[in-house]
Amino acid sequence: MTPTDTLTDQQRRLVTDSFAQLVPISAESTTLFYNRLWEIAPETKPLFNTTDMAAQGMKLMQTLGVAVRALHDLDSLRPFLLDLGQRHIGYGVSQEQYAAVGAALLWMLEQSLGDEFTPELHQAWDSAYRLISDITQQVYDQRSA
């Protein structure tokens, strides 16, 4: 199975549409995300050596936006994600921390979207995050090869 087999057209639409709902509440949503991440993976907090978490939240939303908009064209998305993975290595992010990020993302989406975060939408975002995360982490595998 290739990574593109893990995300259906319907899941891409669900992710894209729900991401659009996050944009107007991005400041609140990213605050929820980081607070949850640091709650479930406190070792990640020192990786964010900034006092401007609003700017950090904007970076998160921009990165998610690029990924969400390109889910239909993984060939164009792959270089962006591999570069992101390289930067994460430089920041000291371990591969194990990607799972906590995914959990924090899904929790934030549930909190931010409320009743609209259906089981189908949860599965769509989970699949999208796994796809994005798998590509991003390929640089870790290349470094250890």
Side-chain angles (χ1 to χ4, degrees):
M1 180 180 341
T2 64
T4 54
D5 294 334
T6 63
L7 206 59
T8 68
D9 289 339
Q10 173 66 10
Q11 287 175 319
R12 284 185 193 87
R13 277 191 297 278
L14 287 169
V15 169
T16 301
D17 292 349
S18 60
F19 181 76
Q21 293 177 275
L22 284 182
V23 172
I25 56 171
S26 61
E28 298 88 351
S29 296
T30 57
T31 297
L32 286 171
F33 168 81
Y34 286 112
N35 287 339
R36 181 65 173 172
L37 177 61
W38 297 335
E39 179 183 325
I40 63 174
E43 73 280 3
T44 63
K45 191 167 187 174
L47 298 173
F48 298 91
N49 59 357
T50 181
T51 56
D52 190 353
M53 287 310 295
Q56 182 65 40
M58 287 176 55
K59 287 181 191 177
L60 172 64
M61 288 300 287
Q62 288 169 346
T63 300
L64 278 174
V66 168
V68 165
R69 284 188 297 277
L71 281 174
H72 67 283
D73 184 7
L74 294 180
D75 288 337
S76 71
L77 182 58
R78 187 173 310 279
F80 172 80
L81 293 177
L82 294 175
D83 179 64
L84 181 64
Q86 279 299 133
R87 285 184 280 141
H88 283 168
I89 288 171
Y91 301 145
V93 176
S94 71
Q95 279 187 282
E96 295 75 25
Q97 291 166 332
Y98 280 81
V101 169
L105 176 67
L106 292 171
W107 183 87
M108 176 271 287
L109 289 161
E110 180 180 13
Q111 302 307 305
S112 297
L113 299 175
D115 291 342
E116 294 181 40
F117 195 65
T118 62
E120 183 182 28
L121 185 55
H122 180 280
Q123 183 59 48
W125 269 101
D126 185 52
S127 295
Y129 178 75
R130 288 175 191 266
L131 174 64
I132 291 165
S133 175
D134 287 350
I135 295 170
T136 304
Q137 291 181 70
Q138 287 175 359
V139 295
Y140 289 84
D141 299 334
Q142 293 167 356
R143 291 187 99 199
S144 62

